[in-house]
Amino acid sequence: MTQQPLLSLRGITKRFVQRVDLAGRIANAFGAGMRETVVQAVSDVDLDVAEGEVVGLVGESGCGKSTLGRIVAGILPQTAGTMTWRGQDVAAMGAGDRHAWQLAVQMIFQDPFASLNPRLRVSEIVGEAPRVHGLVGRGRQAEYVSETLMQVGLDPAYASRYPHQFSGGQRQRVGIARALAVKPAFIVCDEAVAALDVSIQAQVLNLFMELRQRLGLTYLFISHNLAVVEHLSDRVAIMYLGRLVEIAPADELFARPNHPYTQALLAEVPKLEAAQRTYKPIAGELPSPLDPPPGCAFHPRCPHAFARCKAERPAIKEVAPGHFSACHLNDR
Amino acid sequence: MTTLSVRNLRTHFFTKEGVAKAVDGVDFDVAPGEILGLVGESGSGKTVTGFSILGLIDPPGRIVEGSSIRFNGEELTAARPERLRAIRGSEIAMIFQDPMMTLNPVLRVDTQMIETVQAHLKVSEADARDRARKALVQVGIPSPDERLRAYPHQFSGGMRQRVAIAIALLHKPKLIVADEPTTALDVTIQGQILFEVQRLCRESGTAMIWVTHDLAVVAGLADRIAVMYAGRIVETGRTADVIERPMHPYTKGLIGSVPSQNTRGHKLAQIPGMTPSLLRLPRGCAFKARCPIAIDQCNEMPALEEHRPGHWARCWRATG
Ligand SMILES: Nc1ncnc2c1ncn2[C@@H]1O[C@H](COP(=O)(O)OP(=O)(O)OP(=O)(O)O)[C@@H](O)[C@H]1O
Ligand SMILES: Nc1ncnc2c1ncn2[C@@H]1O[C@H](COP(=O)(O)OP(=O)(O)OP(=O)(O)O)[C@@H](O)[C@H]1O
Ligand code: SF4
Ligand code: SF4
Ligand SMILES: [Mg+2]
Ligand SMILES: [Mg+2]
């Protein structure tokens, strides 16, 4: 890449320590032997995102996607690693630059219930920040809120409602409207359309694409829905147990998945078929970030695992131009 | 006998801006062991339907006179609050769209799960813990012992959703109302949960209402589908009939909007126009303004009619 990336992550790592609580300490006094547990939610992630690019982030539930997203959005500090924004190390930013960066990066949260203040009306949730930051004058605030709500398919008449008066999908759209209202440069979309029916989902995704074309918006798009990710993304990153195991341009990734985990993921995409299915339980042992398997974390479930996989963690390497994957099979 | 029989259910919110008829004349039955998929547009009344069944509608909302919800023959709209609370704790379980409606943020997960088990089974704490542990494994959560000792905020979004599902399964209820239970789950874990759900329904005859917007999931799971639009059921029938030969223009639009591989870089198909506001519903068919085949007659409300055996639609132009 000749251009300077908008966002650049190097060695980003996040550990959560789950301390032994009071009940546990009391139990320990009687010899229960509970120890502090450490969740390695994100491990050593390197990623560059160019201006105007859409990077899809996919992986199993609990693999660390939201944690990475929250670090990128500046909501959660990383345990290790550096993050640069327009070439500047975020940790070393002065107050002015930091403020500009925080406004430029917005997050649409996975959980629309917890992320909206229940005591504020939608007009305030959506309209407050743009006014405070001088994006719209006070006189135009109501009009601006109406426009933003319409964009996400909500009736402007709902502006005086509180979050609990909305349906799940409507609330999710309030969260989207709030993020869009401050005219960000970069949006972390965490399962942003998961609660929407396909038609409204299409409307929101079309809006995202239009904003990108018109304003050069950049997205980190976290989703479990591979059809949506494929539709939207320029590049796709696959995460497994806190690590990126494959990154490639979307066409390439869906046509020629390299990593066995990606291959397994693509094989399971559900199709709209009316036949009743008998679902099968997950084969193989599910990995835990509390106790990650040694070597390649995917080895307990990998059909191609061999001796080296248990002993040594594969490094992520370029297997084709712009296509990176972390699997020992590529060395054979 | 059917487990649940809903007739002319109308749940309205009497707000300052006007009456929002969130559910306005809904009929359906669910038999033991049967899975009914309830799909429909965001805001169409799916959650309010579920809340009505559980007696969880708060003022200014209310179930309107003339509505009937019969659960194993018992009329729930006439039941006293204590009775409804007792039923909610044992015979009917709801998996909420928001998992934090099930989970208490200040209690450890083990405390909450053990309480659930002991609420309806006379077992020791150790036995209850063991059941809780197994329930976590069932929903695909590894390291269950450590996870039991954690608090809800220490879980990922999808894990919280799964803990809520595990708690509902622990109840071993006669009816489960599952509201978008797998929206944020990847396909493998979703498959694991659908496996457990199918098994529960088949083995213990639990009836299930599975609310979702994900047609691919209901297509594989549900016996029958009901499609809601603006507070009413507009189409219902056996899953294969509804998915393969939809009759209502809204259902057709919904199926046509599913994104697929060959849409990359193009605009996705969306149903034109906007969902009508519940406060300003048009006269006649609520889908009128967005319907590509509307005619003058659509200014009158069509009835839900059986156009093919077992396959009903609320549309003047539906044909068998
Ligand atoms: N407390 C309330 N006061 C006023 N209106 C309400 C209230 N709760 C829900 N509504 C309205 O009732 C309608 C139906 O809501 P419901 O939550 O049932 O939708 P839903 O079909 O579950 O949608 P989603 O898929 O988005 O969750 C919505 O238009 C919503 O705005
Ligand atoms: N505040 C926290 N304290 C302790 N552990 C946490 C915390 N937040 C997340 N974790 C753990 O970090 C891991 C990754 O969580 P994260 O929310 O990033 O997953 P995710 O990929 O977004 O999953 P999902 O698809 O289910 O939302 C999980 O094991 C989770 O339990
Ligand atoms: S490194 Fe080994 S275990 Fe890991 S994905 Fe490759 S073949 Fe499978
Ligand atoms: S009744 Fe008329 S407007 Fe309504 S769906 Fe049928 S054709 Fe369209
Ligand atoms: Mg998440
Ligand atoms: Mg809902």
Side-chain angles (χ1 to χ4, degrees):
Chain A
M1 230 176 283
T2 47
Q3 220 186 339
Q4 181 190 57
L6 180 63
L7 172 82
S8 181
L9 307 177
R10 288 293 173 273
I12 292 290
T13 296
K14 180 73 191 179
R15 272 187 296 274
F16 291 105
V17 180
Q18 189 177 308
R19 294 186 199 292
V20 180
D21 63 3
L22 182 64
R25 287 202 299 275
I26 294 170
N28 276 353
F30 295 95
M34 289 182 198
R35 274 173 299 125
E36 219 174 58
T37 44
V38 177
V39 181
Q40 179 93 13
V42 173
S43 305
D44 207 10
V45 164
D46 294 351
L47 182 68
D48 286 337
V49 184
E51 183 137 26
E53 194 180 24
V54 182
V55 175
L57 181 61
V58 174
E60 222 159 33
S61 172
C63 73
K65 305 179 295 297
S66 297
T67 304
L68 184 62
R70 285 156 69 206
I71 292 170
V72 167
I75 297 162
L76 198 68
Q78 66 268 33
T79 314
T82 52
M83 174 157 73
T84 30
W85 172 256
R86 297 192 194 278
Q88 254 192 306
D89 182 351
V90 168
M93 275 182 183
D97 287 337
R98 171 169 283 275
H99 182 247
W101 160 70
Q102 279 180 334
L103 200 60
V105 184
Q106 291 293 317
M107 180 150 183
I108 299 168
F109 293 91
Q110 179 171 14
D111 184 350
F113 297 91
S115 60
L116 300 177
N117 185 334
R119 280 178 292 277
L120 292 186
R121 293 177 194 275
V122 166
S123 53
E124 296 160 300
I125 292 174
V126 176
E128 186 81 348
R131 188 179 55 75
V132 170
H133 296 291
L135 295 169
V136 284
R138 186 180 280 280
R140 244 188 50 81
Q141 188 179 337
E143 195 187 332
Y144 186 68
V145 169
S146 298
E147 284 166 17
T148 315
L149 290 180
M150 296 257 274
Q151 283 190 319
V152 295
L154 287 176
D155 186 342
Y158 289 161
S160 60
R161 284 193 177 185
Y162 293 95
H164 77 269
Q165 295 176 299
F166 287 93
S167 79
Q170 290 168 341
R171 227 170 308 185
Q172 188 159 50
R173 284 177 279 161
V174 172
I176 296 171
R178 176 182 63 177
L180 294 178
V182 295
K183 300 198 162 65
F186 189 118
I187 306 185
V188 178
C189 301
D190 193 357
E191 301 285 0
V193 295
L196 303 179
D197 59 274
V198 282
S199 176
I200 290 178
Q201 197 171 358
Q203 182 180 348
V204 170
L205 296 178
N206 288 340
L207 173 67
F208 284 167
M209 289 301 93
E210 186 199 314
L211 292 173
R212 173 196 183 185
Q213 266 157 16
R214 212 151 43 84
L215 309 169
L217 237 65
T218 309
Y219 300 87
L220 179 65
F221 196 87
I222 301 172
S223 176
H224 71 282
N225 186 329
L226 288 168
V228 167
V229 168
E230 179 169 15
H231 174 80
L232 216 63
S233 311
D234 299 310
R235 281 191 303 147
V236 177
I238 308 284
M239 201 168 187
Y240 191 78
L241 219 59
R243 289 178 193 274
L244 296 189
V245 295
E246 183 162 8
I247 309 177
D251 292 330
E252 166 87 4
L253 188 114
F254 284 94
R256 282 173 295 280
N258 176 278
H259 197 280
Y261 173 62
T262 312
Q263 291 166 2
L265 207 61
L266 297 189
E268 296 210 41
V269 178
K271 285 179 215 60
L272 186 53
E273 285 164 1
Q276 269 225 349
R277 290 179 48 189
T278 300
Y279 291 93
K280 289 191 292 286
I282 297 179
E285 183 193 341
L286 271 180
S288 170
L290 292 163
D291 183 19
C296 171
F298 189 54
H299 85 252
R301 295 162 81 187
C302 181
H304 311 291
F306 56 108
R308 188 179 167 197
C309 304
K310 292 190 185 70
E312 189 191 329
R313 184 164 53 234
I316 191 154
K317 291 182 194 154
E318 193 160 15
V319 294
H323 188 162
F324 298 83
S325 175
C327 172
H328 289 314
L329 289 176
N330 293 315
D331 294 345
R332 282 203 164 181
Chain B
M1 195 174 76
T2 58
T3 301
L4 183 76
S5 182
V6 173
R7 288 291 172 273
N8 192 29
L9 176 64
R10 294 191 302 148
T11 307
H12 297 174
F13 290 90
F14 299 87
T15 64
K16 276 206 284 297
E17 311 107 79
V19 182
K21 300 181 177 175
V23 175
D24 203 27
V26 160
D27 302 316
F28 60 83
D29 290 329
V30 199
E34 188 181 39
I35 304 178
L36 173 72
L38 189 58
V39 302
E41 193 161 56
S42 172
S44 60
K46 305 180 297 291
T47 298
V48 171
T49 299
F51 274 33
S52 302
I53 294 167
L54 275 97
L56 290 175
I57 300 293
D58 291 326
R62 144 163 88 72
I63 297 179
V64 177
E65 194 93 340
S67 307
S68 165
I69 301 169
R70 293 187 89 81
F71 173 65
N72 284 329
E74 179 179 355
E75 180 58 55
L76 296 187
T77 57
R80 304 169 74 75
E82 308 86 76
R83 175 67 190 138
L84 285 172
R85 213 173 304 124
I87 289 179
R88 278 202 294 276
S90 57
E91 291 157 76
I92 306 182
M94 181 145 183
I95 303 171
F96 293 97
Q97 195 168 8
D98 172 9
M100 291 315 286
M101 279 195 70
T102 305
L103 300 173
N104 184 333
V106 302
L107 291 182
R108 276 183 9 185
V109 167
D110 54 358
T111 316
Q112 308 189 39
M113 294 187 78
I114 288 169
E115 224 167 62
T116 305
V117 175
Q118 291 190 321
H120 61 100
L121 277 181
K122 292 277 155 278
V123 292
S124 71
E125 186 179 327
D127 193 4
R129 174 177 296 275
D130 191 49
R131 284 170 196 258
R133 194 182 172 284
K134 290 206 177 91
L136 285 189
V137 174
Q138 274 187 344
V139 294
I141 294 185
S143 303
D145 292 313
E146 287 86 350
R147 293 300 190 177
L148 275 172
R149 285 203 302 273
Y151 291 87
H153 78 270
Q154 294 173 318
F155 285 71
S156 78
M159 286 162 69
R160 270 198 291 272
Q161 223 172 19
R162 285 181 279 153
V163 173
I165 294 172
I167 288 179
L169 299 180
L170 276 176
H171 278 297
K172 301 226 183 314
K174 297 199 177 64
L175 172 69
I176 299 183
V177 181
D179 194 359
E180 306 272 11
T182 59
T183 35
L185 298 179
D186 50 281
V187 283
T188 11
I189 305 248
Q190 205 168 60
Q192 164 80 24
I193 287 176
L194 298 178
F195 163 78
E196 295 296 344
V197 161
Q198 256 179 355
R199 191 169 70 166
L200 180 78
C201 292
R202 283 178 190 160
E203 286 175 6
S204 53
T206 301
M208 170 98 63
I209 300 173
W210 190 269
V211 177
T212 183
H213 63 274
D214 191 336
L215 287 168
V217 167
V218 273
L221 182 74
D223 301 296
R224 283 186 303 122
I225 290 184
V227 182
M228 276 187 90
Y229 190 80
R232 290 196 166 92
I233 289 178
V234 295
E235 177 157 6
T236 182
R238 276 185 299 274
T239 303
D241 291 342
V242 175
I243 299 284
E244 279 165 7
R245 302 170 68 201
M247 290 196 287
H248 196 281
Y250 172 67
T251 318
K252 288 179 187 167
L254 204 58
I255 292 171
S257 308
V258 176
S260 70
Q261 286 183 346
N262 31 36
T263 59
R264 227 158 83 73
H266 301 279
K267 269 185 83 145
L268 287 167
Q270 67 191 60
I271 300 173
M274 237 175 81
T275 314
S277 165
L278 285 180
L279 301 171
R280 288 190 297 272
L281 277 186
R283 221 167 71 83
C285 174
F287 193 57
K288 193 172 57 184
R290 308 170 73 185
C291 179
I293 57 166
I295 48 174
D296 282 349
Q297 199 179 8
C298 305
N299 290 323
E300 302 300 322
M301 173 62 81
L304 187 62
E305 279 182 61
E306 189 168 14
H307 293 278
R308 295 182 201 131
H311 189 171
W312 302 61
R314 185 189 287 281
C315 171
W316 291 117
R317 303 200 60 187
T319 44

